[in-house]
Amino acid sequence: MKRFSFLLGLIVASGFLSAPAWAAEKKVEPKPRFAVTAVAERAGALYRRGESVTFVVEIRDEGAVVESGEIEWTLTKDGVGQTRTGRAPISRGRATVTGTLDEAGFLQCRVTYQAGQTKVTALGGAGISPLEIKPSAPAPADFDAFWTAKKKLLAAVPLNARLTPVKSPQENVETFDVQADSVGTPISGYFARPTGAKLRGLPAILTVHGAGVSSSNLRTAAAWAKEGALALDLNAHGLPNGREKAFYDALAAGELKDYRVRGRDSRETIHFLGMFMRLVRAIDFLTAQPEWDGRTVVVSGSSQGGAQAIAAAGLDPRVTFFAAGVPAMCDHTGQLVGRIAGWPKFIPTKENPPPADVVAAVRYYDGVNFAARTKAPGFFTVGFIDATCPPTSVYAAYNALRAPKDIFNDVRAGHTNTPAAGAAMRAAIQRHFAAMR
């Protein structure tokens, strides 16, 4: 049971299972009658520019192969810029679609099968020389000066940490609801440490959240502390923790509605300014703990949390490793070169040409630019059919990282950390802890 609790806590930390979803009773949905999949024929789904890619489409009806019929298909450059459409016959439950892409990127295959009134759609993805994907725009000339000035403002604010003990979900782990002052909204999170931890003996890990409005997750912090770390699970918006669901729902529908694109026309008003400053302040808190080993700081999260992990590594040289699962906020200006951008889609694909002030502002918040500035090793996961944080945008940030790095290519995954991807993230963090001991 203890092992199960630890793994579940780490799944939450990875960002592909949120605290509210974890706590809620799951609805049992009926199995769909038809199942359609589209997967590149080559294992690993990686190809060179101009190389022919064949997608194998499988169609089943309540588990049995569909013997005949046809599919409709569309090939695009990761969801933008339609390239080809057509139909393909089904034979013994299979059909094939073949195409090419003459530039570094991702070839996306969208297939549709219709039986009567039922229409089923599936996506397949293939990486086309993905290690050659470059940023869509350079960093602003004063990118470093801007963030240096913001960190200077933060440094002038005393930490003033307040810790309130809370009941721990793990034996031999102490847990606290913690707040500390920042520029603007204070940080808020759950902090956990092993009971009786020795001075200067433990690594630190900061876990950060995906998009949405919720409490910090106590189990996440406690699970990492059980493994021998000082752990802080950070609330993305600096909100009070442990409140009723209605409290967070009201904020999501009101004050924090559409926070993702709020103030996008100025680098001073984008919502993520405060969020990124709280990352640095959270690291201030962790590294001020007498049990910290003085060496190791890991930041981990997925989606918006992946974006925060990259930003923390780019902003704060104390970060020694980061894990970014299906990271958001990468290559915001992809549209400028005919590519798709990552969440929060500051510049919608249809907004052409985009406003000049928005283009100028969002480049200060681009994971590509933070990745280029850190010396910390990083670990990424990427879903080849992710429409929220598309693989083209993720690879643009991954390729910008000059430090040692690795990436988990999840060929069949959309916007999620599958169990395999989550396990790969955890293993990467644990290897770093071991290496730093």
Side-chain angles (χ1 to χ4, degrees):
M1 180 59 75
K2 289 180 183 177
R3 181 64 177 163
F4 172 78
S5 297
F6 167 64
L7 289 175
L8 188 54
L10 291 187
I11 288 172
V12 173
S14 296
F16 56 89
L17 186 64
S18 68
W22 179 89
E25 184 179 344
K26 275 195 171 182
K27 279 179 123 182
V28 179
E29 299 287 347
K31 265 191 167 185
R33 175 180 167 183
F34 295 99
V36 181
T37 59
V39 182
E41 187 175 43
R42 178 178 296 174
L46 295 175
Y47 298 79
R48 296 186 301 274
R49 282 183 290 179
E51 192 174 6
S52 180
V53 180
T54 297
F55 292 95
V56 177
V57 183
E58 293 190 351
I59 309 98
R60 291 182 176 268
D61 180 354
E62 295 183 339
V65 298
V66 173
E67 293 292 344
S68 61
E70 66 177 12
I71 60 166
E72 296 180 0
W73 55 263
T74 301
L75 293 175
T76 60
K77 186 173 64 176
D78 209 0
V80 298
Q82 181 174 308
T83 56
R84 288 178 60 198
T85 63
R87 296 175 179 267
I90 299 168
S91 176
R92 296 180 182 179
R94 287 192 167 194
T96 58
V97 179
T98 301
T100 61
L101 187 63
D102 292 328
E103 61 183 280
F106 278 78
L107 184 65
Q108 184 187 97
C109 177
R110 178 181 291 271
V111 299
T112 302
Y113 171 70
Q114 186 159 1
Q117 297 300 310
T118 302
K119 184 181 287 188
V120 185
T121 299
L123 293 178
I128 312 301
S129 301
L131 293 176
E132 297 176 13
I133 296 172
K134 304 297 183 186
S136 56
D142 63 343
F143 181 91
D144 297 311
F146 173 75
W147 286 108
T148 297
K150 296 303 180 187
K151 289 191 291 181
K152 186 176 180 180
L153 290 175
L154 177 65
V157 178
L159 184 63
N160 189 26
R162 288 90 68 193
L163 282 74
T164 304
V166 295
K167 185 178 179 181
S168 175
Q170 295 276 3
E171 292 181 4
N172 301 315
V173 170
E174 298 175 308
T175 51
F176 306 85
D177 189 345
V178 62
Q179 285 76 41
D181 292 341
S182 183
V183 176
T185 305
I187 71 163
S188 177
Y190 283 124
F191 171 60
R193 66 188 176 210
T195 303
K198 294 180 180 179
L199 296 179
R200 297 185 62 80
L202 299 178
I205 182 167
L206 175 65
T207 53
V208 283
H209 290 198
V213 182
S214 65
S215 170
S216 297
N217 194 287
L218 182 62
R219 291 182 179 272
T220 300
W224 279 112
K226 190 69 175 177
E227 290 296 296
L230 295 173
L232 176 62
D233 186 75
L234 186 65
N235 190 303
H237 306 290
L239 302 174
N241 298 308
R243 295 289 299 273
E244 67 282 1
K245 182 176 181 294
F247 172 80
Y248 302 106
D249 288 349
L251 286 169
E255 183 181 334
L256 291 173
K257 185 178 181 180
D258 295 331
Y259 74 84
R260 63 185 183 87
V261 292
R262 182 183 301 165
R264 67 177 187 143
D265 56 353
S266 170
R267 64 184 187 179
E268 298 290 347
T269 55
I270 288 175
H271 180 78
F272 298 97
L273 174 57
M275 189 183 295
F276 288 2
M277 285 293 93
R278 287 190 291 275
L279 296 171
V280 178
R281 183 44 38 115
I283 295 169
D284 289 340
F285 170 79
L286 283 168
T287 57
Q289 302 310 302
E291 299 87 1
W292 179 52
D293 65 10
R295 299 185 302 278
T296 313
V297 175
V298 171
V299 185
S300 176
S302 294
S303 192
Q304 177 186 267
Q308 291 181 81
I310 298 170
L315 287 169
D316 199 321
R318 292 171 293 185
V319 176
T320 58
F321 186 82
F322 70 94
V326 290
M329 301 189 71
C330 295
D331 210 32
H332 295 311
T333 51
Q335 189 197 97
L336 299 182
V337 294
R339 294 201 315 238
I340 196 164
W343 184 95
K345 316 289 186 183
F346 276 126
I347 303 171
T349 304
K350 294 179 181 179
E351 194 173 49
N352 192 14
D357 54 354
V358 174
V359 171
V362 301
R363 290 158 65 212
Y364 292 89
Y365 295 85
D366 200 317
V368 167
N369 298 327
F370 289 116
R373 281 159 172 76
T374 183
K375 296 180 180 178
F379 186 88
F380 287 62
T381 74
V382 58
F384 275 26
I385 55 172
D386 189 343
T388 303
C389 301
T392 301
S393 69
V394 173
Y395 260 96
Y398 178 75
N399 293 340
L401 180 63
R402 300 185 183 96
K405 58 189 174 183
D406 199 4
I407 191 166
F408 183 90
N409 290 325
D410 219 342
V411 174
R412 292 173 177 252
H415 189 58
T416 184
N417 260 347
T418 61
M425 282 181 68
R426 295 190 294 273
I429 293 167
Q430 290 160 346
R431 286 194 300 271
H432 182 72
F433 281 162
M436 296 292 284
R437 287 193 187 108

